[in-house]
Amino acid sequence: MAALAVKKDTFETVDLRADISDGMLLWSAPDDGWTIMFFSCVMSTWDHVNYLDPAAVGKFIEVTHEPYFAAFGADFGGVIDSSFYDEPQMYAVGGRMWTDDFNDRFREKYHEDPDTLYPALWYDIGEKTASARNKLLGLRADMYAKGFPRVINDWCQKHGIRLTGHVDQEEMINPCGITGDLMKSFQYQDMPGYDEISYPGRGRRIYKLVTSAAYNWDKPLVMSECFGAMPASLTIETMYDEAMEQYAKGMNLLVPHAVWLDPRHDKIIFHPELSAVNPLYQGVLQPFNEFCARVQSLLQGGVHRADIAVLYPINGLQSAYYFDWGGDPYLGGPAPSWADYQEVGDILSTQARRDFTYLHPEVLEKRCHI
């Protein structure tokens, strides 16, 4: 991807691509203190599709969605109304997911070479660090949004259904090592989605970010995969609490998480069993379902209005992110002390009791006016 000579004390950088011939680098340093750096994109052992490559995702569709349509095409747009994906993410390769045509895409967008910016993915390179990381990581986030959900969404639209689904670890303050840009990951998706899982209230600070993505890009439906892998003792009262909070924050399509069964050992892997078979819900599940149906019929198809906007600080978060940052890639990336946007949103919702919208900086720049 790049071959550079870098003087770390002054951040001076020399592009050495022209000095490579027949696999050999021949370059004479003008003085002491230079470090030679090569940046290579290599195949990992991760056995998933390349989310950054529309052609690779097209091959993925050929072996997944196309066989379904071949078998059940008559039901598409009727019985089958949507397609659902679950938890694509970048942390499995150390948060360093990349793709070999990245430089070409960079030149198309910025009309310049990215080579001399690559050190910023690991190091502070001085006053250019923030802009370099935003260009590199911003493009990667854009390539994900266009490479995975957009390609599948286009296929779904052609076949009369909608696309929904959610990424993994939405709650992290800095999403750069997980999804790139959480809001933008839903830009080209008919139904943005969220995963309310593990325990009640886990996602209450992030609901508004997902629903705001829908508002930013004019999506009428916002999905929540709810009650997944929660305690077997989950009560109907807690389910009402969870549903009402999500509805109040903009979710308008709840999809109950399926129970995970192990038929070989006749046991449930992931609770709860959300059916009348479970004594805990006998006599109360149907009224709950009717409540959800009534509320969703009121909330779907409208236009959101709010007096308060909160800037989604993705540019600052990208500036703070670097590879091998010392933490668990599962946690996304460094969370600067100033990155209190989720806390601000929670204060607005739970203390000030005011509705608001997170604005993506690109939407603020391109689609908003005073």
Side-chain angles (χ1 to χ4, degrees):
M1 308 306 293
L4 306 172
V6 180
K7 206 164 190 178
K8 290 186 176 180
D9 57 347
T10 63
F11 309 114
E12 184 180 355
T13 303
V14 178
D15 187 349
L16 301 180
R17 186 180 294 274
D19 296 282
I20 298 175
S21 178
D22 297 327
M24 293 288 293
L25 169 66
L26 299 174
W27 180 75
S28 297
D31 49 37
D32 295 335
W34 292 87
T35 298
I36 304 298
M37 293 184 178
F38 290 98
F39 298 86
S40 300
C41 185
V42 299
M43 184 67 71
S44 75
T45 57
W46 196 52
D47 59 350
H48 288 56
V49 69
N50 180 357
Y51 299 133
L52 307 180
D53 183 357
V57 177
K59 295 292 185 181
F60 167 73
I61 290 174
E62 288 181 13
V63 297
T64 53
H65 295 62
E66 289 288 0
Y68 276 102
F69 186 73
F72 306 108
D75 294 318
F76 272 57
V79 174
I80 300 173
D81 60 15
S82 57
S83 175
F84 190 110
Y85 68 79
D86 198 74
E87 299 187 356
Q89 41 79 12
M90 300 180 188
Y91 61 70
V93 287
R96 299 194 306 269
M97 182 181 289
W98 216 249
T99 190
D100 52 12
D101 67 340
F102 183 90
N103 289 7
D104 294 332
R105 304 289 81 76
F106 190 96
R107 294 184 192 101
E108 290 175 3
K109 181 173 183 178
Y110 295 110
H111 308 291
E112 62 180 279
D113 291 325
D115 301 50
T116 59
L117 305 182
Y118 271 95
L121 291 175
W122 277 269
Y123 308 103
D124 186 322
I125 61 171
E127 62 182 13
K128 296 182 179 179
T129 303
S131 62
R133 289 176 179 173
N134 268 288
K135 284 183 175 181
L136 293 167
L137 298 173
L139 177 60
R140 183 175 72 154
D142 196 47
M143 290 178 70
Y144 167 80
K146 294 177 179 177
F148 184 69
R150 184 179 189 176
V151 172
I152 302 177
N153 200 80
D154 288 348
W155 185 93
C156 289
Q157 289 184 347
K158 291 178 181 177
H159 293 79
I161 62 176
R162 292 187 175 102
L163 175 67
T164 192
H166 61 80
V167 298
D168 197 7
Q169 286 291 93
E170 302 101 323
E171 302 84 12
M172 297 300 107
I173 298 295
N174 192 333
C176 293
I178 298 176
T179 60
D181 179 334
L182 181 59
M183 285 189 72
K184 179 173 278 193
S185 69
F186 300 121
Q187 182 175 358
Y188 306 104
Q189 179 173 315
D190 282 339
M191 287 188 284
Y194 174 74
D195 191 18
E196 174 63 352
I197 194 170
S198 298
Y199 56 86
R202 172 179 172 175
R204 60 171 26 114
R205 288 192 171 192
I206 211 72
Y207 296 151
K208 285 294 296 184
L209 204 65
V210 178
T211 58
S212 292
Y215 305 149
N216 276 234
W217 288 291
D218 303 318
K219 314 292 183 181
L221 297 175
V222 195
M223 184 277 304
S224 168
E225 183 184 15
C226 53
F227 313 129
M230 290 192 179
S233 59
L234 182 70
T235 66
I236 195 70
E237 290 80 12
T238 299
M239 291 168 62
Y240 273 105
D241 288 345
E242 287 280 280
M244 284 189 278
E245 180 168 13
Q246 292 183 73
Y247 289 144
K249 293 180 177 178
M251 302 291 179
N252 58 18
L253 178 64
L254 300 192
V255 177
H257 186 284
V259 63
W260 285 28
L261 303 173
D262 181 353
R264 295 168 298 179
H265 302 94
D266 192 28
K267 67 177 182 179
I268 296 176
I269 302 174
F270 286 133
H271 293 273
E273 165 64 76
L274 292 173
S275 77
V277 172
N278 189 337
L280 192 61
Y281 305 121
Q282 288 182 1
V284 296
L285 194 59
Q286 182 175 343
F288 175 78
N289 290 338
E290 292 175 350
F291 162 78
C292 291
R294 289 175 178 272
V295 174
Q296 290 178 184
S297 69
L298 292 173
L299 294 179
Q300 293 176 5
V303 176
H304 181 253
R305 305 296 284 273
D307 296 327
I308 299 171
V310 176
L311 182 68
Y312 176 47
I314 188 61
N315 296 124
L317 296 171
Q318 288 173 168
S319 299
Y321 182 79
Y322 56 96
F323 291 162
D324 304 326
W325 52 280
D328 186 348
Y330 187 68
L331 303 179
S337 59
W338 55 259
D340 59 355
Y341 66 101
Q342 291 187 24
E343 183 179 356
V344 169
D346 192 53
I347 290 172
L348 285 170
S349 294
T350 63
Q351 298 181 37
R353 303 290 183 180
R354 297 290 298 276
D355 198 7
F356 68 97
T357 303
Y358 284 112
L359 280 182
H360 192 281
E362 290 186 6
V363 172
L364 177 63
E365 178 184 358
K366 298 175 182 178
R367 304 189 66 198
C368 295
H369 61 88
I370 298 175

